[in-house]
C-alpha cells in the first residue's frame, strides 16, 4: 500500500531508495544482460529487505556507448531490457508491494543516434540545428579548453560536413542539448509527462547541474584538472529551468519527486539546487561519498550538510556507493567497516540511497584491463548480482549457444556472498540492513527526526536522533580498537558498554 505522507511528511523524506543497475540485477531471457522482467521477478526480495523505492538506471533505447546514459529514444524501452509492457508490469507489481519506482532521466545530452541529433547535424539550416550546442571555429582548435569525461580529449567534436564543433561534456556519442532553446525544454518536459502519466513516482535527473550553460562557454582556469566543466557548469540559467520542472512535477498528485545528480563537490553549491523549495526536491551530495573512513572526515562532511541544507529547509541525501564509483566495501577495506557504514548511512538525517549489492557486502569485481567494457573504467561496481550459491547464481545458465554468461564477471566470493546464503545467516550484513530498515520504519526519530552531535572520543562519532518522545543514540566507532560507549548520563541504557572497533550501536531510551 502506498501512503503519500508518512509522519505527515512527503513519503520520500522517510524513504530508503534502492538503486538498480538494470544490466546487472537479474536476467530473465538468457542473453546475459539483466532486464525489466528480471527486476520484476526479484521485487519480492526488495519487499523482504524493506526498501521503500527503487531507482532504475536507464533502460531506454540506446546504442549503449555509455551503457544507456546515451539515450536514442526517451519514451521507449531498449529491446535488450524488454518492452513498455514489461515496464508497466514492473511498476504494477512494485506498487502492489508498496515499493515506489523512480527512473533515470538524462537531460544534459542525448545519444548521437537520437533522431533530434541526426536532424541537427544534417545541415546548418536544419530546424533542429539549435537543439544542440554548435560553435564555429577552426578544425584544429576547439572553441574552449574543456576536457571531456572518460577521455583525455576535448569536450568538442568537429563535424566535417557542416564545418562546426558540437559540445559533449561526456563521450562524443553524447552531444549536449541546448536548454536555452525553449523547444528543447518543451520536448524534455514531454518526456517527463510521458513517464509521470505511466505512473512513475519520480526521477533521478542525470548530471542536472550542467544543463544550463554560460553562453560564453569560457575557458577553465589552467589550474583546474579533471573535469573543469563540472564547476563551470553551475550556471544561473539551470535554476530557472529547474523551477519550471518542479512546477510540472508538483502538478501531479502523489508527492512525485525529482532527485538531481549535482556533480559539484561542494555542499554549499549543491544546496543551491534545492532553490527556495522550488527546484529539486532532493539532490545528491557527493563529498561524503569521497570522504575516507575517518570519524573526523565524516563529522566535517555532516557539519557541511547541517550548515548548508538545514537553514534552507532542504532535506539531505546520503550515498556510499553507486554505479560510477568503486564500492564502499572495497574503498573502506573490510566487512566490519561496511557494517558500521551501513548503520551510519541508515541513521543520518536524510534520505539514504542503497546501491544494489551493498546489502550483501559486495566488493568490486576484479576485471582485467582487456575485459573492461566501460569507457570510464567503472565496470568493477557493475558486476552482476549473485542470488544464490549455484554456478549461475540464479541467472539463466549460460550454455555458450542459445544462452550467454553474464556480461561481466561475478563479484568476489559470489559462492558464499549471495542473497540466499546471507538470508539464512541471522548475523549476516544482509540481515543487518534488513533490521536497520525495519528500525527506521518503526522510529520517527531515525527516519525524520532531528540530528544532534554528542561529545565522543576521536575515532568515534556519536549523535542523537529525536522526534517527540522517540529518541535514539547512535555511536559509530571508525577506529580499529574497541571504544567505550560515550553514553551521556541522561536516559540512555548504556548496556552495550563497549562499541567494537570498527562497529556501531544504536541505543533507544526505552526498552525496544
Ligand atoms: O554521471 C555524471 C558524472 O559526472 C559522473 O559520471 C562522473 O563523471 C564520474 O562518476 C567520474 O568517475 C552520470 C551517470 O551517473 C554516469 O553513469 C554517466 O556516464 C554520466 O552521467 C553521463 O550520462
Amino acid at each position: 500500500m502506498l501512503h503519500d505522507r508518512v509522519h505527515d511528511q512527503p513519503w520520500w523524506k522517510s524513504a530508503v531508495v534502492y538503486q538498480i543497475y538494470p544490466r546487472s540485477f537479474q536476467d530473465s531471457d538468457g542473453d546475459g544482460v539483466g532486464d525489466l522482467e528480471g527486476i520484476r521477478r526479484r521485487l519480492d526480495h526488495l519487499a523482504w529487505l524493506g526498501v521503500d523505492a527503487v531507482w532504475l538506471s536507464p533502460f531506454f533505447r540506446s546504442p549503449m556507448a555509455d551503457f544507456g546514459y546515451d539515450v536514442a529514444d526517451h519514451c521507449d524501452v531498449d529491446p535488450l531490457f524488454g518492452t513498455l509492457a514489461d515496464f508497466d508490469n514492473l511498476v504494477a507489481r512494485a506498487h502492489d508491494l508498496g515499493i515506489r519506482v523512480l527512473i533515470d532521466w538524462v537531460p544534459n545530452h542525448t545519444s548521437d543516434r537520437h533522431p533530434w541529433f541526426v536532424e541537427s547535424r544534417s545541415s546548418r539550416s536544419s530546424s533542429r540545428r539549435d537543439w544542440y550546442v554548435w560553435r564555429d571555429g577552426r578544425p584544429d582548435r576547439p572553441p574552449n579548453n574543456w576536457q571531456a569525461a572518460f577521455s583525455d580529449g576535448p569536450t568538442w567534436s568537429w563535424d566535417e560536413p557542416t564545418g562546426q564543433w558540437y559540445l559533449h561534456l561526456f563521450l562524443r556519442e553524447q552531444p549536449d542539448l541546448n536548454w536555452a532553446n525553449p523547444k528543447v525544454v518543451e520536448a524534455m518536459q514531454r518526456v517527463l509527462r510521458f513517464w509521470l502519466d505511466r505512473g512513475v513516482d519520480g526521477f533521478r535527473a542525470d548530471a542536472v547541474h550542467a544543463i544550463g550553460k554560460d553562453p560564453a562557454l569560457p575557458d577553465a582556469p589552467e589550474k583546474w584538472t579533471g573535469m573543469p566543466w563540472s564547476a563551470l557548469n553551475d550556471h544561473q540559467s539551470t535554476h530557472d529551468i529547474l523551477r519550471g520542472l518542479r512546477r510540472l512535477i508538483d502538478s501531479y498528485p502523489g508527492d512525485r519527486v525529482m532527485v538531481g545528480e549535482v556533480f559539484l563537490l561542494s555542499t554549499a553549491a549543491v544546496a543551491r539546487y534545492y532553490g527556495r523549495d522550488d527546484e529539486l526536491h532532493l539532490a545528491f551530495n557527493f563529498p561524503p561519498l569521497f570522504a575516507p573512513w575517518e570519524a573526523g572526515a565524516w563529522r566535517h562532511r555532516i557539519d557541511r550538510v547541517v550548515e548548508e541544507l538545514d537553514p534552507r529547509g532542504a532535506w539531505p541525501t546520503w550515498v556510499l556507493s553507486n554505479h560510477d564509483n568503486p564500492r564502499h566495501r572495497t574503498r573502506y577495506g573490510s566487512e566490519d567497516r561496511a557494517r558500521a557504514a551501513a548503520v551510519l548511512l541508515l541513521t543520518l538525517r536524510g534520505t539514504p540511497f542503497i546501491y544494489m549489492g551493498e546489502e550483501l557486502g559486495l566488493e568490486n569485481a576484479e576485471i582485467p584491463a582487456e575485459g573492461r567494457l566501460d569507457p570510464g573504467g567503472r565496470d568493477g561496481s557493475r558486476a552482476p548480482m549473485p542470488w544464490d550459491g549455484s554456478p549461475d547464481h540464479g541467472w539463466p545458465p549460460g550454455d555458450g549457444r542459445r544462452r550467454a554468461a553474464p556480461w561481466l564477471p561475478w563479484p568476489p566470493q559470489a559462492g558464499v556472498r549471495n542473497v540466499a546464503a546471507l538470508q539464512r545467516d541471522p548475523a549476516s550484513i544482509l540481515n543487518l540492513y534488513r533490521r536497520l530498515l525495519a528500525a527506521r520504519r518503526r522510529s520517527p526519530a531515525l527516519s525524520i527526526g532531528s540530528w544532534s552531535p554528542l561529545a565522543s572520543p576521536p575515532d568515534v562519532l556519536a549523535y542523537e536522533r529525536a522526534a517527540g518522545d522517540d529518541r535514539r543514540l547512535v555511536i559509530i566507532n571508525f577506529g580499529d580498537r574497541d571504544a567505550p560507549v560515550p553514553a551521556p548520563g541522561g536516559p540512555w541504557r548504556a548496556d552495550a558498554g563497549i562499541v567494537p572497533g570498527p562497529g556501531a550501536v544504536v541505543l533507544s531510551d526505552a526498552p525496544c
Side-chain angles (χ1 to χ4, degrees), residues 57 85 93 104-105 122 126 144 222 231 255 290 374 421 427 443 475 496:
S57 281
R93 177 68 185 146
D104 229 298
W105 175 64
S122 66
S126 150
N144 69 19
E222 289 300 333
D255 278 328
F290 297 114
D374 175 49
S443 166
I475 301 161

Side-chain angles (χ1 to χ4, degrees), residues 11 16-20 25 39 42-43 46-47 51-57 90-91 94 98-104 201-204 353-354:
W11 64 270
V16 176
V17 184
Y18 184 98
Q19 181 192 354
I20 293 177
F25 195 62
I39 296 171
R42 292 296 186 185
L43 287 171
L46 299 181
V51 303
D52 302 281
V54 291
W55 144 35
L56 308 179
S57 281
L90 190 168
V91 172
I99 296 175
R100 288 172 208 264
V101 179
L102 311 185
I103 63 171
D104 229 298
D201 300 287
F203 303 93
R204 176 268 190 187
F353 287 74
I354 296 174

Side-chain angles (χ1 to χ4, degrees), residues 162-175:
T162 59
Q164 279 190 313
W165 294 93
Y166 69 86
L167 176 71
H168 52 88
L169 297 186
F170 297 90
L171 301 172
R172 63 161 63 231
E173 293 88 351
Q174 294 168 295

